[in-house]
Amino acid sequence: MSDGTDETDGTNRHRVLDAVLDEVSPSDDERATLRDAYEAVRERALAALEDEGVDGDVTLVGSAARDTWLSGDRDIDVFLLLPPSLERDEFETVGLNVGKEVFPDGTVEYAEHPYVQGNEGGYDVDIVPCYDLDSAEELRSAVDRTPFHKEYVRKVAEEHDGFGDEVRLLKAFARGAGVYGSDLRTRGFSGYLCELFVHHYGDFSSVLEAAADWTPPVRVEFEEPTKEFDSPLVVIDPVDPSRNVASVVSQDAFARFVDAARGWLDAPDESFFFPKEPEPIDADELIETLEERATRLIAVVFDAPDVVDDQLYPQLRKTRRSLVEELERKGFDIVRSRVFASENDASGGGGRAVVLVEANVGEQSRVEKHVGPPVHVREHATAFVEKYEGDDAEENVVGPYIEDGRYVVERDREHTTVEGFVRSDDFFGVGMGKNVETKVRDGYDVLVGEDCAVLLDEFGVELARYFDPKTPSG
Amino acid sequence: MSDGTDETDGTNRHRVLDAVLDEVSPSDDERATLRDAYEAVRERALAALEDEGVDGDVTLVGSAARDTWLSGDRDIDVFLLLPPSLERDEFETVGLNVGKEVFPDGTVEYAEHPYVQGNEGGYDVDIVPCYDLDSAEELRSAVDRTPFHKEYVRKVAEEHDGFGDEVRLLKAFARGAGVYGSDLRTRGFSGYLCELFVHHYGDFSSVLEAAADWTPPVRVEFEEPTKEFDSPLVVIDPVDPSRNVASVVSQDAFARFVDAARGWLDAPDESFFFPKEPEPIDADELIETLEERATRLIAVVFDAPDVVDDQLYPQLRKTRRSLVEELERKGFDIVRSRVFASENDASGGGGRAVVLVEANVGEQSRVEKHVGPPVHVREHATAFVEKYEGDDAEENVVGPYIEDGRYVVERDREHTTVEGFVRSDDFFGVGMGKNVETKVRDGYDVLVGEDCAVLLDEFGVELARYFDPKTPSG
């Protein structure tokens, strides 16, 4: 609890928020630069549409269009509004042709449709085709919603003084808490979600006060939903009531936001918005930490597959989760686990991925206790006894004996260490996700204990965060 | 499954049972010796009653009276039937006086009442006073039931050809399976329970065939019960329908009997009745076994308190159970645990008691993970965070961090080994039972790994059974 009175708190809070706003609001210069970049792209795109003989338009969407973007953001989304009469094939072709016309050196990226990404005046610009619809009820694809989001938020902002600033504060706060972004690495709050929260609760502070008391399921409904949702956080899209804007938010992102909201309300401080990145740890610190913890740290290291983060991270997490579940089934007590990957370089490749597992003990006994059926369940019980006492029974089995009314045997444990398991072929029995499995099958290293120091060049900050998870966004 | 046909099986079974009966039926000589011993006691007891001026009678009860005793049994129960008009004090005094008159060198033992135990012609004889009642509905104490049990079983036997032999087979079989006796060490089948099973199911083989299919709750009711029972095995006493004759039977004794019944039906063999006691293991075998298992064996050894087994074993088991629960709470994975005690000598004392615990790993890490409340439960969550982050927080704590929506901290583990725990004062926080705790507080040894070899002189057989628990009655 803060020691100050409410008034001092309020004053302090306002002082901090004003300072944050200074940091995160784009300056007039920045606005002008962005506007110039967009206008240049728009001009070339309109000309290209004309060359294609298509009666389309060009529009700026995203936070730049809604004046809710954070100073320093370098992304611009430019949408080509194409006539609904265009067939799918033609629609895609026109989109790509216009994109390549605007950015002859641009790259083709793939979401629901392919689109072109290029650079204009220091901004990353996406040129995305969508259908120019009269109503959101006619949506043909996810991107078709975007112009309607823009329209909706603009109307909200018109009637809401200071809307952009409040949204910017919330976005920056979520970013500081490590939960800003609806990508599958972050699984946090999208910009649109932040806008809807400010619209619903009124301002930045009211969102945080509400969040401090959030108990799942939390529901924010602008329209009667047309679908059932059972997520812990449900925010119905006012533009499409069959959609939960918060569907990607993970349990831990939700909890981290709630935790940060309480922290801020208790002791408002700029560090919530601009947390310091921890210093990378060095080999000596790693070795000392492992000695103090007396745990066994095991890292499985392999080439990161050349896929986007939205594919990579779900696969890495699946691998981590499956591995930990399998190890726990085998009696290992896993203190914590984590995944890291280094960024691919521009050519797409060269990155390394790490699945890190920290075990409570380095080595288990050779005795694996296996609890069988209750003795009274005759059919299963007899089969169990036959399996371990019959002529074809395994060797080196102690029992079956009876404990708590059940048959129990003690078998020879196959893997007494975590590294023994991950070095064996049994590791491939663990569900990994397609691209990760391919790379792991190509070859992987297993690092144990202080050998993990070789990771520090690339992952010193991640390991610092791992060992001191109080650090925000740990 | 047996390879033989039903007929061969049947013949074989009968051949074995005949051989067993030869062993377990008392010979005419044995009967005569027991009869002589009883008559001598009866004569002295009647004379003593007359000296006391009490109009009582003397009767033989127990299996000797019902002709269901096993050859070699050296126990005789002699009851003094005293007038119900006697007050409790007088009743006890008369009982003790008569006992001491019969056995001037006898010892006083304590059950519900005190009674005298002596020796006559090689038999241990209990002289127990009870009220001479007309009906079991007037019972004043547990022993008053005994004469009615005798009467009931005698009537049953009169109408049931070969009853005594079938009961002897069942008793001997239960003994072989390690579940004969309703004492609190064995927690198995009393002789009376065996008699009731033969009465209910018809003969030895039918009891075993039924038991092979027993699924709890098993209920045998000779009378409408006058009380609710929820034990897995309920056998209503025909003499007192408010009593479950099987109430003392443990889950594992039940399961061991079922297991043995199936084994016998599958492959009848004399060894079910007369299992061989295993050879005691020696120090080399112990060390080799521990190396193979790679577990950590810890023995807590202390002077056995000078109490009867019916008090000692429940207390030892309580100590074992509480210790294992506490160790498991602390993250230790306990493979198995067991208690042993050596018999007190005649003077009552000198025995040692052992609580044995076998841990999967010798040493845990220093990191104890402590999972707190869900983040969204604000009051608890805030208190938890305050505890670990506030001004008075413990040192050396990692976190609180968020995992699966909950706050988690990692604390410094206080005891990284089982022996560290049992050597510390924290061991006394474990529930032990009064007499055991007194002795443990007087002093105890903690043996680890091969140091346990010092137990082998006294407990070589128990340790052999521990490491090869297939051995019957393990």
Side-chain angles (χ1 to χ4, degrees), chain B residues 123-193:
Chain B
Y123 287 86
D124 287 326
V125 183
D126 290 348
I127 310 270
V128 179
C130 78
Y131 284 109
D132 188 10
L133 306 172
D134 289 332
S135 146
E137 273 136 57
E138 300 163 24
L139 299 182
R140 299 210 202 160
S141 77
V143 293
D144 293 347
R145 253 189 235 108
T146 308
F148 294 98
H149 288 163
K150 166 180 159 186
E151 195 184 342
Y152 181 85
V153 174
R154 278 187 158 182
K155 262 191 209 140
V156 164
E158 267 169 32
E159 294 167 12
H160 187 146
D161 217 28
F163 180 78
D165 281 351
E166 299 299 325
V167 170
R168 271 188 268 268
L169 286 174
L170 183 55
K171 286 181 172 181
F173 184 84
R175 185 173 64 185
V179 300
Y180 180 51
S182 58
D183 60 278
L184 296 185
R185 178 175 181 178
T186 311
R187 293 191 295 173
F189 294 3
S190 66
Y192 183 50
L193 182 58

Side-chain angles (χ1 to χ4, degrees), chain B residues 99 106 123 160 166 261 269-270 285 314 340 344 361 399-400 438 456 463:
Chain B
Y123 287 86
H160 187 146
E166 299 299 325
D269 188 276
E270 231 172 300
E285 288 167 316
F340 315 131
N344 292 337
V361 296
T438 302
L456 292 173
L463 280 162

